[in-house]
């Protein structure tokens, strides 16, 4: 299962209470990557609602976003600890009221986010098994609260990765329906609620994976229209263009991402190495082999950090293979 961030899976009511309105503001702050203001708002919410699963879930989701965007894997323990607290709160709610659909919902979201983080840690099989546990919670939430449409997004995500499991966990085979997954995620996107941005991202990601590139670009650009500097979506758009062999577009996006990452998280070797590798492939595609090799060398130069930086060992090995291929092309 690849990495993507299942943040902000919180449903806004039609007539939102002050708490829901603040969660909506936190969503936008995070999509705009204004982490300081988002952190202040989330801390304020958690102080006022210390036993509210939705708020504590948001704490965990915020940590997860920081981990992915900054490459700071020292935050992983905090993420899992806060996630465990969400599950405990949901269990307490269900002991008091077994028909609490919201408790089932947030329990499912928490399991889904944990599975995503396990995948990011390259614990693929563990992630897949954790993800499967979430499905029952979403179905029970819908049984108890049929109007809780956002649960369909979670079910759609699970359905997609079941259908493509063999890509990420060899030997699992096809056990889901990609068509059904697109339908479920599209249903969540069309509702226009708090889940819509995440649904749009997922539609873009799934379309890319299925080589429906025009759709993938459309979904990504739609999200970037609202959140122009969102790095996660820009990475997705960069990767779509790379798959399309639109190498000039890849380099343009990659250059801006490099500058942005350096300005925001200057020690983020995880993010920089990943971006430089994609740029190296683009330069190779344009037959600008000197530039491609320079980007490979920049990644390989970080070999001493590969045991401490997420995914860096993978990126270094890939850069070495690309460097070798470039050398063969030169003869």
């Amino acid at each position: 299962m690849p990495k993507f961030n299942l943040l902000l899976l919180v449903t806004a009511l039609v007539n939102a209470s002050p708490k829901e309105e603040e969660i909506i503001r936190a969503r936008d702050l995070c999509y705009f990557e204004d982490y300081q203001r988002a952190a202040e708002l989330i801390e304020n919410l958690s102080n006022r609602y210390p036993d509210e699963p939705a708020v504590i879930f948001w704490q965990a989701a915020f940590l997860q976003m920081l981990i992915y965007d900054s490459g700071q894997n020292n935050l992983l323990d905090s993420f899992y600890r806060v996630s465990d607290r969400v599950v405990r709160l949901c269990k307490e709610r269900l002991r008091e009221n077994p028909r609490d659909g919201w408790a089932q919902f947030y329990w499912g979201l928490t399991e889904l986010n944990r599975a995503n983080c396990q995948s990011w840690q390259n614990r693929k099989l563990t992630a897949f098994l954790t993800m499967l546990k979430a499905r029952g919670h979403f179905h029970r939430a819908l049984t108890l609260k049929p109007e809780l449409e956002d649960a369909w997004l979670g079910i759609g995500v699970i359905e997609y990765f079941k259908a493509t499991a063999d890509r990420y966990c060899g030997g699992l085979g096809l056990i889901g329906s990609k068509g059904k997954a697109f339908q479920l995620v599209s249903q969540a996107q069309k509702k226009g609620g708090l889940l819509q941005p995440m649904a749009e991202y997922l539609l873009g990601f799934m379309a890319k994976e299925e080589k429906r590139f025009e759709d993938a670009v459309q979904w990504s650009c739609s999200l970037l229209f609202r959140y122009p500097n969102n790095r996660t979506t820009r990475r997705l758009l960069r990767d779509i263009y790379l798959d399309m062999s639109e190498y000039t577009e890849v380099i343009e996006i990659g250059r801006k991402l490099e500058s942005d990452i350096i300005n925001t998280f200057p020690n983020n070797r995880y993010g920089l190495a990943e971006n430089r590798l994609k740029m190296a492939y683009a330069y190779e595609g344009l037959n600008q082999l000197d530039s491609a090799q320079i980007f490979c060398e920049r990644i390989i130069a970080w070999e001493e950090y590969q045991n401490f930086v997420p995914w860096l060992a993978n990126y270094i090995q890939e850069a070495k293979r690309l460097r070798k291929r470039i050398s063969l092309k030169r003869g």
Side-chain angles (χ1 to χ4, degrees), residues 71 95 100:
R95 279 196 295 268
D100 189 332

Side-chain angles (χ1 to χ4, degrees), residues 7-240:
L7 289 178
L8 318 171
L9 302 181
V10 185
T11 304
L13 302 178
V14 175
N15 296 308
S17 70
K19 179 176 62 179
E20 277 90 31
E21 290 174 355
E22 288 174 288
I23 290 173
I24 292 170
R25 287 203 298 274
R27 178 201 73 176
D28 285 336
L29 288 171
C30 281
Y31 272 110
F32 283 117
E33 295 170 345
D34 189 342
Y35 292 131
Q36 182 61 42
R37 290 174 63 198
E40 291 170 357
L41 180 53
I42 293 163
E43 182 179 5
N44 180 274
L45 276 167
S46 62
N47 288 336
R48 287 158 49 208
Y49 305 100
D51 298 320
E52 173 55 56
V55 172
I56 309 306
F57 166 82
W58 175 248
Q59 280 188 301
F62 177 73
L63 286 167
Q64 190 173 19
M65 187 173 192
L66 277 177
I67 290 167
Y68 291 173
D69 201 22
S70 69
Q72 297 178 40
N73 57 354
N74 60 322
L75 296 174
L76 284 167
D77 286 345
S78 296
F79 165 76
Y80 285 117
R81 185 173 62 252
V82 178
S83 296
D84 288 343
R85 186 180 171 202
V86 179
V87 172
R88 286 197 301 271
L89 289 171
C90 290
K91 287 179 177 179
E92 289 173 7
R93 291 284 182 94
L94 289 166
R95 279 196 295 268
E96 295 172 3
N97 177 15
R99 299 189 59 79
D100 189 332
W102 288 108
Q104 292 286 2
F105 179 64
Y106 287 113
W107 192 345
L109 293 182
T110 300
E111 295 293 1
L112 205 55
N113 271 9
R114 284 205 279 210
N116 191 255
C117 206
Q118 289 163 351
S119 178
W120 187 77
Q121 293 177 273
N122 215 15
R123 298 160 58 192
K124 301 297 184 183
L125 183 57
T126 299
F128 189 76
L129 295 174
T130 301
M131 181 189 70
L132 292 181
K133 291 193 299 185
R135 189 173 186 271
H137 294 294
F138 290 129
H139 278 292
R140 285 190 285 275
L142 283 166
T143 298
L144 296 166
K145 292 184 71 66
E147 72 276 14
L148 216 168
E149 299 274 358
D150 287 333
W152 291 116
L153 178 60
I155 296 171
V157 170
I158 295 167
E159 187 69 20
Y160 181 76
F161 286 109
K162 283 169 59 183
T164 59
D166 208 46
R167 297 180 190 174
Y168 313 112
C169 300
L172 285 178
L174 301 177
I175 56 176
S177 166
K178 288 183 283 188
K180 182 178 179 181
F182 273 101
Q183 178 186 354
L184 292 169
V185 177
S186 296
Q187 181 177 332
Q189 186 274 334
K190 289 174 182 176
K191 293 300 176 182
L194 192 59
L195 282 180
Q196 189 183 42
M198 180 52 62
E200 284 190 352
Y201 176 85
L202 290 170
L203 287 167
F205 171 82
M206 292 189 296
K208 168 193 173 293
E209 293 293 286
E210 303 310 314
K211 303 187 184 305
R212 293 166 45 183
F213 296 128
E214 289 187 9
D215 290 341
V217 170
Q218 178 184 340
W219 290 120
S220 301
C221 289
S222 174
L223 195 53
L224 285 170
F225 181 78
R226 281 180 287 168
Y227 307 102
N229 296 315
N230 184 271
R231 279 183 289 275
T232 300
T233 310
R234 284 190 284 159
R235 289 185 184 106
L236 175 60
L237 185 59
R238 175 204 62 196
D239 293 351
I240 295 166

Side-chain angles (χ1 to χ4, degrees), residues 255 276 279-280 283-284 288-297 326 330:
R255 284 174 174 166
R276 288 171 181 175
M279 292 181 70
Y283 279 117
E284 181 200 23
Q288 297 181 25
L289 300 184
D290 288 343
S291 295
Q293 181 164 340
I294 287 170
F295 277 94
C296 288
E297 299 291 356
I326 290 168
R330 284 178 167 148

Side-chain angles (χ1 to χ4, degrees), residues 244-255:
M244 295 173 68
S245 300
E246 297 285 352
Y247 301 123
T248 302
E249 298 284 355
V250 174
I251 291 167
E252 181 180 352
I253 295 172
R255 284 174 174 166

